[in-house]
Amino acid sequence: MTLRRIAELAGTSKSTVSRVLTNHPRISQRTREKVLAVIEEHHYRPNLFARALAGGRTGLLGVLSSNISSGFFAEVIRGLDIAASRQRGHIVVSIAHGNDDYSQLLNEMLASGQVDGLILIDPPLDLFNSPLPEKHIPLVLCASQPPDGARAWRELDSVTVDNAKAMRDLVRHLLEQGHQHIVHLAGPQNIYDAQQRRAAFEEAAKQLHVPQFDILDGHLVQTDGRETMRSRFSKPSQWPDAFVAFNDSVAFGVLAEINGAKQRIAVTGWDNSPTAEVLGMTSVEMPMTELGETSADMLLERLSNSTAAANPARRAILDTTLHLRTSSKTGEL
Amino acid sequence: MTLRRIAELAGTSKSTVSRVLTNHPRISQRTREKVLAVIEEHHYRPNLFARALAGGRTGLLGVLSSNISSGFFAEVIRGLDIAASRQRGHIVVSIAHGNDDYSQLLNEMLASGQVDGLILIDPPLDLFNSPLPEKHIPLVLCASQPPDGARAWRELDSVTVDNAKAMRDLVRHLLEQGHQHIVHLAGPQNIYDAQQRRAAFEEAAKQLHVPQFDILDGHLVQTDGRETMRSRFSKPSQWPDAFVAFNDSVAFGVLAEINGAKQRIAVTGWDNSPTAEVLGMTSVEMPMTELGETSADMLLERLSNSTAAANPARRAILDTTLHLRTSSKTGEL
DNA sequence: CTGTTAGCGCGTTCAC
DNA sequence: GTGAACGCGCTAACAG
């Protein structure tokens, strides 16, 4: 089934069919309905490649992701797909295996010109040190934002969550529970969210006058949490009152090490994974699906709005939800 | 940069460049090197859309997935991407939101002809009741297999895991630990793995002479596990000796309900999520990444081997790994 | 409002 | 071994 064939069957020309397909305004209601009927009858779908070649859109959105946690990845992808498919589009996914990989993948995607636009999920912050590649398609940053210094990169649209607010609420809660000494097991500092949460923790701790606090970097997965517990906090006498972990995984690592002594110490995570709920662990919920949906919507809007190229960068900042559970509540410990 | 431009720069014709690109045999060594040099110098990459339109390959592999657990989804996708990118290919991902959706998505993907081949991750079993859509591109089933009745569907390549073996080992282990009454919280029966595990449990239980066993269907996520515990096993006196859950999530739901009484009862999961390890829960590890890699490799082989269309269906069955932990070991309970 | 014409970049016959 | 011509299915001018 081709456009040409549809035209024949509808007793019209290819152009007319094409116009119907692209929602051209100046077309008579009658012709449009007639064409649509034929299209419907034969389940016709335009060939994306021909369309792309002729200068139109492909309906393909590129998605670049770093090797992040599966839960986060999957939910964001789901969000992206939801938004893309609402407009009959599809996503082309590539996953970077290392840091260098990311910029290389980006350049290849940009060069091969097979997508209408590109969404960068959680790029390693190093990326912003390199110059913004020359591009003729719009880019959207998902779960990341360039530092003030990276001027060119800051022209891009971005979608992030309000880490600072969540962290402030979390620290305040711990203080209210009477915890005096709080340790933040921060994430790898080449990850945007990790950097943000670290900074937010430090600021909140100072601002709210936490009597004693420490920050340790580089925690991403369970083993990182375990490792730190074994090396730095092997004896209960060394323990603080509370651990604020970069994410749930790290928190689980901590829990595994202090097992049997949960009563004495608060542990909080981040991501609100299903397991956090089961374990009764306090955690910050990230709107992952929404993160994806919003990113794709932003990209699609840039694409549909041809004048948008000149529009200023938009920054969406989504809200998180703090789930307080027994792992941090003194009364219920 | 187009093929035509490369031809000009190399002082030859478009056809020659095209032949070099497609590894045509009858081309002089000298011409080939010359062309390759120019290509390299200008970082030329052929336009995928033009290539596709002219009848060639696009390097795009379609991936259809149902709305499965994020961990599984993410890891399989990763595997697919690894295998695809090894051959400079990319994956186009679509996620079905409901059951009907799946077959509709499949048809659209097939119709719009935008991918070289298609990988179906965990399609709802209902799909196999409908006729195999007419197709001119190869299909591979990932984590699923059609029933014997669906003849046409059984012509497709597939990659699955050996659920039966894992389940047998698991039941044997529980028996050896002295458990007399085992309950299987089976998954939704329109999911291949759920059906397989259910059947395998029943067979193993009979074959190994488990004194008492029951099977309850429809468990997919934590709340399902919780629900069943509250309705059917609200009092400890009703508890069996062991629960074999469809997956880790369901198992967590059970654990949450029997909290504080873990000593009295064994609970096993499936998927070996990181949390299972932290909690010390016995679980079966699925080779998720490998599942994806193998699927993509199979598809790519069909694509490269033009004579393969006639080849018989291949069925890869991957092995699982049983991780025995304290949640099922009597001595350590 | 609609039909006609000309490519988009490439693979693939054909001839030479 | 190489080049010329054609067409893949579609969009985008240009006429009418």
Side-chain angles (χ1 to χ4, degrees), chain B residues 172-304:
Chain B
R172 183 181 297 115
H173 161 74
L174 290 172
L175 267 180
E176 286 170 359
Q177 297 294 316
H179 300 301
Q180 306 274 314
H181 181 192
I182 310 180
V183 171
H184 178 36
L185 301 180
Q189 293 300 297
N190 66 334
I191 294 180
Y192 175 76
D193 278 335
Q195 200 190 59
Q196 290 291 301
R197 289 175 205 165
R198 186 195 203 284
F201 175 82
E202 188 166 1
E203 193 183 323
K206 285 180 179 161
Q207 206 168 3
L208 300 173
H209 307 296
V210 173
Q212 189 184 352
F213 66 90
D214 302 298
I215 302 178
L216 301 173
D217 284 348
H219 302 80
L220 185 60
V221 293
Q222 313 210 354
T223 45
D224 299 327
R226 285 193 126 131
E227 206 64 28
T228 294
M229 289 306 291
R230 288 179 183 165
S231 59
R232 300 272 313 235
F233 306 100
S234 55
K235 284 177 286 187
S237 62
Q238 301 168 316
W239 292 354
D241 300 327
F243 281 108
V244 172
F246 168 55
N247 61 21
D248 284 351
S249 288
V250 172
F252 294 149
V254 173
L255 282 179
E257 288 299 312
I258 64 171
N259 199 18
K262 287 181 201 162
Q263 311 79 320
R264 301 194 30 205
I265 191 169
V267 178
T268 72
W270 205 294
D271 285 350
N272 194 40
S273 55
T275 318
E277 194 192 337
V278 169
L279 294 182
M281 185 174 77
T282 290
S283 190
V284 176
E285 179 185 348
M286 299 271 285
M288 305 183 191
T289 312
E290 199 186 340
L291 215 43
E293 273 194 72
T294 310
S295 302
D297 281 339
M298 267 196 183
L299 186 54
L300 288 166
E301 198 183 318
R302 283 256 176 223
L303 290 171
S304 64

Side-chain angles (χ1 to χ4, degrees), chain A residues 89-154:
Chain A
H90 288 296
I91 56 178
V92 179
V93 179
S94 272
I95 305 173
H97 308 304
N99 272 9
D100 312 341
D101 235 34
Y102 202 99
S103 115
Q104 194 181 332
L105 275 180
L106 172 57
N107 283 316
E108 283 196 10
M109 273 254 167
L110 249 27
S112 67
Q114 43 193 314
V115 293
D116 292 346
L118 210 40
I119 291 162
L120 308 185
I121 304 181
D122 192 28
L125 291 178
D126 315 336
L127 184 66
F128 301 130
N129 293 328
S130 54
L132 178 64
E134 227 178 302
K135 64 186 183 60
H136 44 283
I137 60 172
L139 260 50
V140 170
L141 297 171
C142 177
S144 185
Q145 220 174 100
D148 290 342
R151 277 208 44 177
W153 288 98
R154 292 193 61 92

Side-chain angles (χ1 to χ4, degrees), chain B residues 15-186:
Chain B
S15 319
T16 305
V17 177
S18 176
R19 290 193 178 101
V20 171
L21 248 34
T22 53
N23 275 323
H24 195 92
R26 275 180 302 231
I27 257 226
S28 79
Q29 190 60 23
R30 230 162 34 86
T31 327
R32 158 168 283 128
E33 280 169 7
K34 168 96 197 210
V35 171
L36 284 178
V38 179
I39 287 181
E40 186 56 36
E41 182 186 348
H42 295 271
H43 300 98
Y44 165 74
R45 295 274 174 259
N47 180 315
L48 291 190
F49 302 132
R51 180 172 269 186
L53 200 53
R57 294 269 117 80
T58 69
L60 293 181
L61 304 184
V63 177
L64 246 59
S65 172
S66 42
N67 203 346
I68 43 183
S69 79
S70 8
F72 186 79
F73 171 80
E75 292 308 317
V76 173
I77 293 289
R78 190 199 306 283
L80 291 169
D81 180 62
I82 289 173
S85 59
R86 264 202 294 261
Q87 318 228 5
R88 304 195 133 278
H90 287 295
I91 56 177
V92 180
V93 179
S94 272
I95 306 173
H97 308 303
N99 272 10
D100 312 339
D101 233 35
Y102 202 99
S103 117
Q104 193 182 332
L105 275 179
L106 172 57
N107 283 317
E108 284 198 6
M109 273 251 166
L110 249 28
S112 67
Q114 43 193 318
V115 293
D116 293 345
L118 210 40
I119 292 161
L120 309 185
I121 305 181
D122 192 27
L125 291 176
D126 315 337
L127 183 66
F128 301 130
N129 293 329
S130 54
L132 178 64
E134 226 177 302
K135 63 185 182 64
H136 45 282
I137 60 173
L139 260 50
V140 171
L141 297 171
C142 177
S144 184
Q145 220 173 102
D148 290 342
R151 276 208 43 177
W153 288 97
R154 291 193 63 89
E155 306 282 313
L156 302 181
D157 291 339
S158 68
V159 184
T160 52
V161 300
D162 195 341
N163 284 295
K165 179 170 175 300
M167 186 58 95
R168 215 160 36 232
D169 292 346
L170 186 54
V171 172
R172 183 181 297 115
H173 161 74
L174 290 172
L175 267 180
E176 286 170 359
Q177 297 294 316
H179 300 301
Q180 306 274 314
H181 181 192
I182 310 180
V183 171
H184 178 36
L185 301 180

Side-chain angles (χ1 to χ4, degrees), chain A residues 28 37 52 72 94 100 147 206 217 238 256-257 265 278 292 306-307 321:
Chain A
S28 79
F72 186 78
S94 272
D100 312 341
K206 285 178 180 163
D217 284 349
Q238 302 168 316
E257 288 299 312
I265 190 169
V278 170
S306 52
T307 69
T321 311

Side-chain angles (χ1 to χ4, degrees), chain A residues 44-57:
Chain A
Y44 164 75
R45 295 276 173 259
N47 181 314
L48 291 190
F49 299 133
R51 182 174 265 187
L53 199 55
R57 294 271 117 80

